């Protein structure tokens, strides 16, 4: 099993920044892709960003140019730097992992991963 624990969520004003972190533990040897997706109340999942072991990334159109995903394979951590936040970014954010050797774009488009954390809330006020 793989465990993912997010941290760093909170409340921020429009235009502000937040950094989300995720600690990955357990049977991590099979993990290939890591990523983030979010879900706002009454809405479906939205893929935010994904990254493969070699650092290749993909982003959702709504966050491209504002968010940056990074991973530290040695420390088994994943981060999401979020800049120029907007009220529409308000959602529960989930760290996720998958063993499939697929391009990061697949995970952004599908927002589907084998494992996910419990989520961390991000609230952006106008």
């Amino acid at each position: 099993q793989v465990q993912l624990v997010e941290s760093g969520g909170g409340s921020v004003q429009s235009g502000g920044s937040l950094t989300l972190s995720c600690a990955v533990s357990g049977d991590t040897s099979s993990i290939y892709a890591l990523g983030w997706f979010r879900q706002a109340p009454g809405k479906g999942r939205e893929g935010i960003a994904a990254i493969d072991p070699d650092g290749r990334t993909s982003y959702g159109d709504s966050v491209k140019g504002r968010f940056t995903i990074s991973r530290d394979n040695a420390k088994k951590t994943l981060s999401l730097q979020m800049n120029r936040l907007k009220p529409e970014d308000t959602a529960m954010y989930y760290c996720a992992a998958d063993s499939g050797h697929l391009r990061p774009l697949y995970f952004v488009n599908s927002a589907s991963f084998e494992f996910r954390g419990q989520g961390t809330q991000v609230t952006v006020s106008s």
Side-chain angles (χ1 to χ4, degrees):
Q1 272 289 26
V2 175
Q3 292 81 45
L4 303 142
V5 179
E6 304 94 340
S7 61
S11 297
V12 65
Q13 289 194 326
S14 181
S17 298
L18 279 175
T19 300
L20 303 185
S21 298
C22 176
V24 186
S25 62
D27 184 14
T28 61
S29 60
S30 63
I31 292 303
Y32 183 79
L34 294 172
W36 297 90
F37 67 89
R38 67 189 181 189
Q39 189 161 17
K43 295 188 177 181
R45 287 187 180 187
E46 179 186 8
I48 296 302
I51 185 168
D52 71 12
D54 295 322
R56 288 180 288 257
T57 60
S58 186
Y59 295 91
D61 289 341
S62 64
V63 306
K64 204 171 293 183
R66 300 188 296 124
F67 290 11
T68 303
I69 188 172
S70 60
R71 68 190 280 175
D72 187 321
N73 294 325
K75 294 182 179 178
K76 299 182 181 180
T77 58
L78 178 70
S79 296
L80 185 69
Q81 174 67 43
M82 306 186 294
N83 297 325
R84 304 198 311 274
L85 283 160
K86 305 175 182 180
E88 51 263 45
D89 293 318
T90 295
M92 186 71 80
Y93 283 69
Y94 296 89
C95 171
D98 201 284
S99 61
H101 287 223
L102 302 169
R103 293 180 177 180
L105 181 60
Y106 167 83
F107 295 103
V108 170
N109 286 343
S110 68
S112 177
F113 296 82
E114 287 180 279
F115 308 101
R116 67 168 178 87
Q118 292 299 308
T120 186
Q121 177 68 35
V122 172
T123 302
V124 185
S125 58
S126 58

